[in-house]
Amino acid sequence: MTLFDLALKNIRRNMKSYSLYIGSTIFSIIIYFTFVTLKYSEDISALAETSKQISGIMSASAFVLMIFVAIFIAYSNSFFMKKRKKEVALYSLLGVRKRSIGFMLFFENMVIGLFSLVVGVGLGFLLSRALLTILMKLMGLDIVIGFAFSIDAVINTLIVFFIIFLFTSMQGYRVIYQFKLIDLFHAEKKGEELPKARMISAILGVVTLAAAYWLALQDLTTSPIWRMLSLAMPIVIIALTVIGSALIFNSVLVYMLSVMKNNKRWAWKGLNLMTSSKLLYRIRGNAKTLTIIATLSATTITAGGAVFGLYYNADKNVQTYTPYTFMWEGAPQEIDPDLIEHAETVHSKTLRIEQGAYEMEYAVIKQSTFEKLAKNLDWSDIQVAKDGEVLLIDAFYNEQWSQKVDSVMIDGTEYKVAKLYDKAVFNTFTIGASAIVVTDQLYSEITADEKTYQAVQVKDYKNQLALSEELAAKTENFSSATEDYRASIEASGALLFVGSFLGLVFLVATGSIIFFKMMTEAEEDKGKYAVLYKIGVSKREMKRTIRSQVGMIFAAPLGLGLLHGAVALTAFSNLLMMNLLVPVLIWMLAYTLIYTIYYFITVRSFNKTVH
């Protein structure tokens, strides 16, 4: 039997252990191949300017994915090598030369890698059309994607992953030279020292995280510390979050488990003492993994939640600054009356008014016009400007950094601002974001030149692209909610596609890492559970303690990752003045659901291993 035959036999024998690793790797290859296919797709290239945006996003995403998958595969491979050290030692004891054992491990890993690569590229080709169709739907584009076999995409994927698998295969080859025979035999028996609960470290962990959260939630426009550190602040926040997470797992979790272990009423119930002791015994080894997973989870949740929030709120964002479907300067245009919901002619005069050290340009409209426009937009707080008063409209006003205006000078007379509206009553890209509402009498007395605009609201504005293009060709100073919505949905749709699939890859990888970690521990604990069964502990009780152990390992990084993500997304929503509660909750629930599925798979596999 050749070394290659022995490698194939080992793969078949350990297929159950390798199945999730192979599945995760194949999934990563499928996503990478899809991104590269999109980059070389002629259908996407035909989208002109949009294609450049998508191509850049996909290229950057493919690079990030390549780096992450390389780290994930190397990390996963190290778990399997630890599990195989005893087997490698046995080969060495039987007289097989180190070089031969190294080549066997090399062949074994290369076969798994090449198998994953072939299957991943094949499935990627079959699924790429479906995935690219999803992208087109998210972007609101009616483009039919056909089957197109891109040889460039195949070559790119083959080269990247062949290098990754070659590197991890060399890792296996080097294992036999790194350890002595006795070390290989006892590799699975080496454990961590029992950590001690340190109150100072636990408090420091909580304080560090609290500081990171406090800095993240500060208003960056008014916070002195943000002004002082400037662009270095995000790095400081990330560093504090990672350090805090590590201290949480190393100290706070140790402290909590120690308290539980010392609580006699709880500890002597069932196998609780064993559960807490096992988690404590391995906490240092798990702490690094849990910190990495919590950080990756937070990154995925934050990025995915932010992108999904932008996509979810695309309609509201457009209508914030473009409340009328179409607006242009000039005479009315012919539009199908059945489509029109509201149509108003707006007369406006432009004034330059001094505001402190600055001179601001305002559009001036009369009270009757304002009332019609606001009524069409279902405003409930329409106020009437009296003599000596004006109403101020500033769609970009923010009390944190905008200067409050109490009065304005018009033709040498001061008028009190009776009310400030911080929302747009007409399309800001046609008339402007700032306007003054005056009485009809005062408007007629202002000597500035007058311009005429048309504001039209139509039914089903999202699907009026043809009408929008027709009006744009015939009018000047034209703004379109339809066009703004299409541009917004294209950009956010592409980001959502990338964010969702990269998030899935990160989620699959982190879930797999926990799975590998727990399966390694299950192999090490087989004998302990066998002893427990012999002395009369029921399988039901053993399954309960397994669920508790695995649950702690899954729940700890997930809970901390969700907390990190919630704080980061709160800061993001405050910065953009956008309500992201609903999309963020949807995203977090989806993330938690997939993680829960991994938890049940791990519990089931753990039980099968030890029983």
Side-chain angles (χ1 to χ4, degrees), residues 206-278:
V206 174
V207 170
T208 304
L209 271 188
Y213 293 166
W214 181 79
L215 289 173
L217 294 174
Q218 290 296 298
D219 183 355
L220 59 86
T221 61
T222 59
S223 173
I225 193 167
W226 269 89
R227 284 200 297 268
M228 182 175 65
L229 294 177
S230 187
L231 295 176
M233 182 58 77
I235 299 173
V236 172
I237 293 172
I238 293 170
L240 288 174
T241 302
V242 173
I243 293 169
S245 300
L247 288 171
I248 287 287
F249 292 126
N250 270 301
S251 301
V252 177
L253 201 56
V254 170
Y255 182 77
M256 290 172 59
L257 289 169
S258 297
V259 170
M260 293 166 64
K261 183 182 176 183
N262 294 328
N263 185 334
K264 295 180 180 179
R265 187 174 178 182
W266 179 87
W268 293 103
K269 184 178 179 181
L271 295 177
N272 287 344
L273 182 62
M274 174 186 168
T275 302
S276 58
S277 297
K278 284 178 64 61

Coordinates of all heavy atoms in Angstrom, one line a residue, residues 206-278:
V206 N -14.7 44.6 32.6 CA -16.0 45.3 32.6 C -15.8 46.8 32.3 O -16.4 47.4 31.5 CB -16.8 45.1 33.9 CG1 -18.1 46.0 33.8 CG2 -17.2 43.6 34.0
V207 N -14.8 47.4 33.0 CA -14.5 48.8 32.8 C -14.0 49.1 31.4 O -14.4 50.1 30.8 CB -13.5 49.3 33.9 CG1 -13.0 50.7 33.6 CG2 -14.1 49.2 35.3
T208 N -13.1 48.2 30.9 CA -12.6 48.4 29.5 C -13.7 48.4 28.5 O -13.8 49.2 27.6 CB -11.6 47.3 29.2 OG1 -10.5 47.3 30.2 CG2 -10.9 47.5 27.8
L209 N -14.6 47.4 28.6 CA -15.7 47.4 27.7 C -16.7 48.6 27.8 O -17.1 49.2 26.8 CB -16.6 46.1 27.9 CG -16.1 44.8 27.1 CD1 -17.1 43.7 27.3 CD2 -16.0 45.2 25.6
A210 N -16.9 49.0 29.1 CA -17.8 50.1 29.3 C -17.1 51.4 28.7 O -17.9 52.2 28.1 CB -18.0 50.3 30.8
A211 N -15.8 51.5 28.8 CA -15.1 52.7 28.2 C -15.3 52.6 26.7 O -15.5 53.7 26.0 CB -13.7 52.6 28.6
A212 N -15.1 51.4 26.1 CA -15.3 51.3 24.6 C -16.7 51.7 24.2 O -16.8 52.5 23.2 CB -14.9 49.9 24.2
Y213 N -17.7 51.2 24.9 CA -19.1 51.6 24.6 C -19.3 53.1 24.8 O -20.0 53.7 23.9 CB -20.0 50.8 25.5 CG -20.0 49.3 25.2 CD1 -20.6 48.4 26.1 CD2 -19.4 48.7 24.1 CE1 -20.6 47.0 25.9 CE2 -19.4 47.4 23.8 CZ -20.0 46.5 24.7 OH -20.0 45.2 24.5
W214 N -18.8 53.6 25.8 CA -19.0 55.1 26.1 C -18.4 55.9 25.0 O -19.1 56.9 24.5 CB -18.4 55.4 27.5 CG -18.6 56.9 27.8 CD1 -19.7 57.5 28.3 CD2 -17.6 57.9 27.7 NE1 -19.5 58.8 28.5 CE2 -18.2 59.1 28.1 CE3 -16.3 58.0 27.3 CZ2 -17.5 60.3 28.1 CZ3 -15.6 59.2 27.3 CH2 -16.3 60.3 27.7
L215 N -17.2 55.6 24.6 CA -16.6 56.3 23.5 C -17.3 56.2 22.2 O -17.5 57.1 21.4 CB -15.1 55.8 23.3 CG -14.1 56.2 24.4 CD1 -12.8 55.5 24.2 CD2 -13.9 57.7 24.5
A216 N -17.8 54.9 21.9 CA -18.6 54.7 20.7 C -19.9 55.5 20.6 O -20.3 55.9 19.5 CB -18.8 53.2 20.5
L217 N -20.5 55.7 21.7 CA -21.8 56.4 21.8 C -21.7 57.9 21.9 O -22.7 58.6 22.0 CB -22.6 55.8 22.9 CG -23.0 54.3 22.7 CD1 -23.8 53.8 24.0 CD2 -23.9 54.1 21.5
Q218 N -20.5 58.4 22.0 CA -20.3 59.9 22.1 C -20.7 60.5 20.8 O -20.5 60.0 19.7 CB -18.9 60.2 22.5 CG -18.5 59.8 23.9 CD -19.3 60.6 24.9 OE1 -19.2 61.8 25.0 NE2 -20.0 59.9 25.7
D219 N -21.2 61.7 20.9 CA -21.4 62.5 19.7 C -20.1 63.0 19.1 O -19.5 63.8 19.7 CB -22.4 63.7 20.0 CG -22.8 64.5 18.8 OD1 -22.3 64.2 17.7 OD2 -23.6 65.4 19.0
L220 N -19.8 62.5 17.9 CA -18.4 62.9 17.4 C -18.3 64.3 17.0 O -17.2 64.9 16.8 CB -18.1 62.0 16.2 CG -19.0 62.0 15.0 CD1 -18.7 63.1 14.0 CD2 -18.9 60.6 14.3
T221 N -19.4 65.1 16.9 CA -19.4 66.5 16.5 C -19.1 67.4 17.7 O -18.6 68.5 17.6 CB -20.7 66.9 15.8 OG1 -21.8 66.7 16.7 CG2 -20.9 66.1 14.6
T222 N -19.5 66.9 18.9 CA -19.4 67.8 20.1 C -18.4 67.2 21.2 O -18.0 67.9 22.1 CB -20.7 68.0 20.8 OG1 -21.3 66.7 21.1 CG2 -21.7 68.7 19.8
S223 N -18.0 65.9 21.1 CA -17.2 65.3 22.1 C -15.8 65.8 22.0 O -15.1 65.7 21.0 CB -17.2 63.7 21.9 OG -16.3 63.1 22.8
P224 N -15.2 66.3 23.1 CA -13.8 66.8 23.2 C -12.8 65.7 22.9 O -11.8 65.9 22.2 CB -13.7 67.3 24.6 CG -15.0 67.5 25.1 CD -15.9 66.5 24.4
I225 N -13.1 64.4 23.4 CA -12.2 63.3 23.2 C -12.1 62.9 21.7 O -11.1 62.5 21.2 CB -12.5 62.2 24.2 CG1 -11.3 61.2 24.2 CG2 -13.8 61.5 23.7 CD1 -11.4 60.2 25.3
W226 N -13.3 63.0 21.0 CA -13.3 62.7 19.6 C -12.5 63.7 18.8 O -11.7 63.4 17.9 CB -14.7 62.6 19.1 CG -15.3 61.2 19.2 CD1 -16.0 60.7 20.2 CD2 -15.3 60.2 18.2 NE1 -16.4 59.4 19.9 CE2 -15.9 59.1 18.7 CE3 -14.7 60.1 16.9 CZ2 -16.1 57.9 17.9 CZ3 -14.9 59.0 16.1 CH2 -15.5 57.9 16.7
R227 N -12.6 65.0 19.2 CA -11.9 66.0 18.5 C -10.4 65.9 18.8 O -9.5 66.1 17.9 CB -12.3 67.4 19.0 CG -13.7 67.8 18.4 CD -13.8 69.3 18.5 NE -13.9 69.8 19.9 CZ -15.0 69.9 20.6 NH1 -16.2 69.6 20.1 NH2 -15.0 70.3 21.9
M228 N -10.0 65.4 20.0 CA -8.6 65.2 20.3 C -7.9 64.1 19.6 O -6.9 64.2 19.1 CB -8.5 65.0 21.8 CG -7.1 64.9 22.3 SD -7.0 64.8 24.2 CE -7.8 63.3 24.4
L229 N -8.6 62.9 19.5 CA -8.0 61.7 18.9 C -8.4 61.6 17.4 O -7.7 60.9 16.7 CB -8.5 60.5 19.7 CG -8.0 60.4 21.1 CD1 -8.6 59.1 21.8 CD2 -6.5 60.3 21.2
S230 N -9.4 62.3 17.0 CA -9.8 62.3 15.6 C -9.9 60.9 15.0 O -10.6 60.0 15.5 CB -8.8 63.2 14.8 OG -9.2 63.4 13.5
L231 N -9.1 60.7 13.9 CA -9.3 59.4 13.2 C -8.7 58.2 14.0 O -9.0 57.0 13.6 CB -8.5 59.5 11.8 CG -9.1 60.5 10.8 CD1 -8.2 60.6 9.6 CD2 -10.5 60.1 10.4
A232 N -7.9 58.5 15.0 CA -7.4 57.4 15.9 C -8.5 56.8 16.8 O -8.3 55.7 17.3 CB -6.2 57.9 16.7
M233 N -9.6 57.5 17.0 CA -10.6 57.1 17.9 C -11.2 55.7 17.5 O -11.3 54.8 18.4 CB -11.7 58.1 18.0 CG -12.8 57.7 19.0 SD -12.2 57.4 20.6 CE -12.0 59.1 21.2
P234 N -11.6 55.4 16.3 CA -12.1 54.1 15.9 C -11.1 52.9 16.3 O -11.5 51.9 16.8 CB -12.3 54.1 14.4 CG -12.5 55.6 14.1 CD -11.6 56.3 15.1
I235 N -9.8 53.2 16.1 CA -8.8 52.2 16.5 C -8.8 52.0 18.0 O -8.7 50.8 18.4 CB -7.4 52.6 15.9 CG1 -7.4 52.8 14.4 CG2 -6.3 51.6 16.4 CD1 -6.2 53.4 13.8
V236 N -8.9 53.1 18.7 CA -8.9 53.0 20.2 C -10.1 52.2 20.6 O -10.0 51.3 21.5 CB -8.9 54.4 20.8 CG1 -9.1 54.3 22.3 CG2 -7.6 55.1 20.5
I237 N -11.3 52.4 20.0 CA -12.5 51.7 20.4 C -12.4 50.2 20.1 O -12.8 49.4 20.9 CB -13.7 52.3 19.7 CG1 -14.0 53.8 20.2 CG2 -15.0 51.5 19.9 CD1 -15.0 54.5 19.4
I238 N -11.9 49.9 18.9 CA -11.7 48.5 18.6 C -10.7 47.8 19.5 O -11.0 46.7 20.0 CB -11.3 48.4 17.1 CG1 -12.4 48.9 16.1 CG2 -10.9 46.9 16.8 CD1 -11.9 49.0 14.7
A239 N -9.6 48.5 19.8 CA -8.6 47.9 20.7 C -9.2 47.6 22.1 O -9.0 46.6 22.7 CB -7.4 48.8 20.8
L240 N -9.9 48.6 22.6 CA -10.6 48.5 23.9 C -11.6 47.3 23.9 O -11.7 46.6 24.9 CB -11.2 49.8 24.4 CG -10.3 50.9 24.8 CD1 -11.1 52.2 25.0 CD2 -9.5 50.5 26.0
T241 N -12.3 47.2 22.8 CA -13.3 46.2 22.7 C -12.7 44.8 22.7 O -13.2 43.9 23.4 CB -14.2 46.4 21.4 OG1 -14.8 47.7 21.5 CG2 -15.3 45.3 21.3
V242 N -11.6 44.6 21.9 CA -11.0 43.3 21.9 C -10.3 43.0 23.2 O -10.5 41.8 23.7 CB -9.9 43.3 20.7 CG1 -9.1 42.0 20.8 CG2 -10.5 43.5 19.4
I243 N -9.6 43.9 23.8 CA -9.0 43.7 25.1 C -10.1 43.4 26.2 O -9.9 42.5 27.0 CB -8.2 44.9 25.6 CG1 -7.0 45.1 24.6 CG2 -7.7 44.8 27.0 CD1 -6.2 46.4 24.8
G244 N -11.2 44.2 26.2 CA -12.3 43.9 27.1 C -12.9 42.5 26.9 O -13.2 41.9 27.9
S245 N -13.1 42.1 25.7 CA -13.6 40.8 25.4 C -12.7 39.7 25.9 O -13.2 38.7 26.5 CB -13.8 40.6 23.9 OG -14.7 41.6 23.4
A246 N -11.4 39.9 25.7 CA -10.4 38.9 26.2 C -10.5 38.8 27.7 O -10.5 37.7 28.3 CB -9.0 39.2 25.7
L247 N -10.6 39.9 28.4 CA -10.6 40.0 29.9 C -11.9 39.4 30.4 O -12.0 38.7 31.4 CB -10.5 41.4 30.4 CG -9.0 42.0 30.3 CD1 -9.0 43.5 30.6 CD2 -8.1 41.2 31.2
I248 N -13.0 39.6 29.6 CA -14.3 39.0 30.0 C -14.2 37.5 30.0 O -14.7 36.9 31.0 CB -15.4 39.5 29.0 CG1 -15.8 41.0 29.2 CG2 -16.7 38.6 29.1 CD1 -16.5 41.3 30.5
F249 N -13.7 36.9 29.0 CA -13.6 35.5 28.9 C -12.5 34.9 29.8 O -12.7 33.8 30.4 CB -13.3 35.0 27.5 CG -14.4 35.3 26.5 CD1 -14.2 36.0 25.3 CD2 -15.7 34.9 26.8 CE1 -15.3 36.3 24.5 CE2 -16.7 35.1 25.9 CZ -16.5 35.8 24.8
N250 N -11.5 35.6 30.0 CA -10.4 35.1 30.9 C -10.7 35.4 32.4 O -10.2 34.6 33.2 CB -9.1 35.8 30.5 CG -8.3 35.1 29.5 OD1 -7.9 33.9 29.7 ND2 -8.1 35.7 28.4
S251 N -11.4 36.4 32.7 CA -11.6 36.8 34.1 C -13.0 36.8 34.6 O -13.4 36.1 35.5 CB -11.0 38.2 34.4 OG -9.6 38.2 34.0
V252 N -13.9 37.5 33.9 CA -15.3 37.6 34.3 C -15.9 36.2 34.2 O -16.6 35.8 35.2 CB -16.0 38.6 33.4 CG1 -17.5 38.7 33.8 CG2 -15.4 40.0 33.6
L253 N -15.7 35.5 33.1 CA -16.3 34.2 33.0 C -15.7 33.2 34.0 O -16.4 32.4 34.6 CB -16.0 33.7 31.5 CG -16.9 32.6 31.0 CD1 -18.4 33.0 31.1 CD2 -16.6 32.2 29.6
V254 N -14.4 33.3 34.3 CA -13.8 32.5 35.3 C -14.4 32.8 36.7 O -14.7 31.9 37.4 CB -12.3 32.7 35.3 CG1 -11.6 32.1 36.5 CG2 -11.6 32.2 34.0
Y255 N -14.6 34.1 36.9 CA -15.1 34.5 38.2 C -16.6 33.9 38.4 O -16.9 33.4 39.4 CB -15.1 36.0 38.3 CG -15.7 36.5 39.7 CD1 -14.9 36.5 40.8 CD2 -17.0 37.0 39.8 CE1 -15.4 36.9 42.0 CE2 -17.5 37.5 41.0 CZ -16.7 37.4 42.1 OH -17.1 37.8 43.3
M256 N -17.4 34.1 37.3 CA -18.8 33.6 37.4 C -18.8 32.0 37.6 O -19.6 31.5 38.4 CB -19.5 33.9 36.1 CG -19.8 35.4 36.0 SD -20.5 35.8 34.4 CE -21.9 34.8 34.3
L257 N -17.9 31.3 36.9 CA -17.9 29.9 37.0 C -17.4 29.5 38.4 O -17.9 28.5 39.0 CB -17.0 29.3 35.9 CG -17.6 29.3 34.5 CD1 -16.6 28.9 33.5 CD2 -18.8 28.4 34.4
S258 N -16.4 30.2 38.9 CA -15.9 29.9 40.3 C -17.0 30.1 41.3 O -17.1 29.3 42.3 CB -14.7 30.8 40.6 OG -13.7 30.6 39.7
V259 N -17.8 31.2 41.2 CA -18.9 31.4 42.1 C -19.9 30.3 42.0 O -20.4 29.8 43.1 CB -19.5 32.8 41.8 CG1 -20.8 33.0 42.6 CG2 -18.6 33.9 42.1
M260 N -20.2 29.9 40.8 CA -21.2 28.8 40.6 C -20.7 27.5 41.2 O -21.4 26.7 41.9 CB -21.5 28.6 39.1 CG -22.2 29.8 38.5 SD -22.3 29.7 36.7 CE -23.2 28.2 36.4
K261 N -19.4 27.2 41.0 CA -18.8 26.0 41.5 C -18.8 26.0 43.1 O -18.9 24.9 43.7 CB -17.3 25.9 41.0 CG -16.6 24.6 41.4 CD -15.2 24.6 40.9 CE -14.5 23.4 41.4 NZ -13.0 23.4 40.9
N262 N -18.6 27.1 43.7 CA -18.5 27.2 45.2 C -19.9 27.3 45.8 O -20.0 27.2 47.0 CB -17.7 28.4 45.6 CG -16.2 28.3 45.2 OD1 -15.7 27.2 45.2 ND2 -15.6 29.4 44.9
N263 N -20.9 27.4 45.0 CA -22.3 27.4 45.5 C -22.8 26.0 45.7 O -23.1 25.3 44.7 CB -23.2 28.2 44.5 CG -24.7 28.3 45.0 OD1 -25.1 27.5 45.9 ND2 -25.4 29.3 44.6
K264 N -22.7 25.5 46.9 CA -22.9 24.0 47.1 C -24.3 23.6 46.7 O -24.5 22.5 46.2 CB -22.7 23.7 48.6 CG -21.3 23.9 49.1 CD -21.1 23.6 50.5 CE -19.7 23.7 51.0 NZ -19.5 23.4 52.4
R265 N -25.3 24.5 46.9 CA -26.7 24.1 46.5 C -26.8 23.8 45.1 O -27.5 22.9 44.7 CB -27.6 25.2 47.0 CG -29.1 24.9 46.8 CD -29.9 26.0 47.3 NE -31.3 25.7 47.1 CZ -32.3 26.6 47.5 NH1 -32.0 27.7 48.1 NH2 -33.6 26.2 47.3
W266 N -26.1 24.6 44.2 CA -26.2 24.4 42.8 C -25.2 23.4 42.3 O -25.5 22.5 41.5 CB -25.9 25.7 42.1 CG -25.9 25.6 40.6 CD1 -26.9 25.7 39.7 CD2 -24.7 25.4 39.7 NE1 -26.6 25.6 38.5 CE2 -25.2 25.3 38.4 CE3 -23.4 25.1 40.0 CZ2 -24.4 25.1 37.3 CZ3 -22.5 24.9 38.9 CH2 -23.0 24.9 37.6
A267 N -23.9 23.4 42.9 CA -22.9 22.5 42.4 C -23.1 21.1 42.6 O -22.8 20.2 41.8 CB -21.5 22.9 43.1
W268 N -23.8 20.7 43.7 CA -24.0 19.3 44.0 C -25.3 18.8 43.4 O -25.8 17.7 43.7 CB -24.0 19.1 45.5 CG -22.6 19.3 46.1 CD1 -22.2 20.4 46.8 CD2 -21.5 18.4 46.0 NE1 -20.9 20.3 47.1 CE2 -20.4 19.0 46.6 CE3 -21.3 17.2 45.3 CZ2 -19.2 18.5 46.7 CZ3 -20.0 16.6 45.4 CH2 -19.0 17.3 46.1
K269 N -25.9 19.5 42.5 CA -27.1 19.1 41.8 C -26.7 18.5 40.5 O -26.2 19.1 39.6 CB -28.1 20.3 41.6 CG -29.4 19.9 41.0 CD -30.3 21.1 40.9 CE -31.6 20.7 40.3 NZ -32.5 21.9 40.1
G270 N -27.0 17.2 40.3 CA -26.6 16.5 39.1 C -25.2 16.5 38.8 O -24.3 16.3 39.7
L271 N -24.8 16.9 37.6 CA -23.4 17.0 37.1 C -23.0 18.4 37.0 O -22.0 18.7 36.3 CB -23.2 16.2 35.8 CG -23.4 14.7 35.8 CD1 -23.3 14.1 34.4 CD2 -22.5 14.0 36.8
N272 N -23.6 19.3 37.8 CA -23.2 20.7 37.7 C -21.8 21.0 38.1 O -21.1 21.8 37.5 CB -24.2 21.6 38.5 CG -25.6 21.7 37.9 OD1 -25.8 21.4 36.8 ND2 -26.5 22.1 38.7
L273 N -21.3 20.3 39.1 CA -19.9 20.5 39.5 C -19.0 20.1 38.4 O -18.0 20.8 38.2 CB -19.7 19.6 40.8 CG -18.3 19.8 41.4 CD1 -18.0 21.2 41.8 CD2 -18.1 18.8 42.6
M274 N -19.3 19.0 37.7 CA -18.4 18.5 36.6 C -18.5 19.6 35.5 O -17.4 19.9 34.9 CB -18.9 17.2 36.1 CG -18.2 16.7 34.9 SD -18.9 15.2 34.2 CE -18.1 15.1 32.6
T275 N -19.7 20.1 35.2 CA -19.8 21.0 34.1 C -19.0 22.3 34.4 O -18.2 22.7 33.5 CB -21.3 21.4 33.9 OG1 -22.1 20.3 33.7 CG2 -21.5 22.4 32.8
S276 N -19.1 22.9 35.6 CA -18.4 24.1 35.9 C -16.9 23.8 35.9 O -16.1 24.6 35.5 CB -18.9 24.7 37.2 OG -18.7 23.7 38.3
S277 N -16.5 22.7 36.5 CA -15.1 22.3 36.6 C -14.4 22.2 35.2 O -13.3 22.6 35.0 CB -14.9 21.0 37.4 OG -15.3 21.2 38.7
K278 N -15.1 21.5 34.3 CA -14.6 21.3 32.9 C -14.4 22.6 32.2 O -13.4 22.8 31.5 CB -15.5 20.3 32.2 CG -15.3 18.8 32.6 CD -16.3 18.0 31.8 CE -16.0 18.0 30.3 NZ -14.6 17.5 30.0

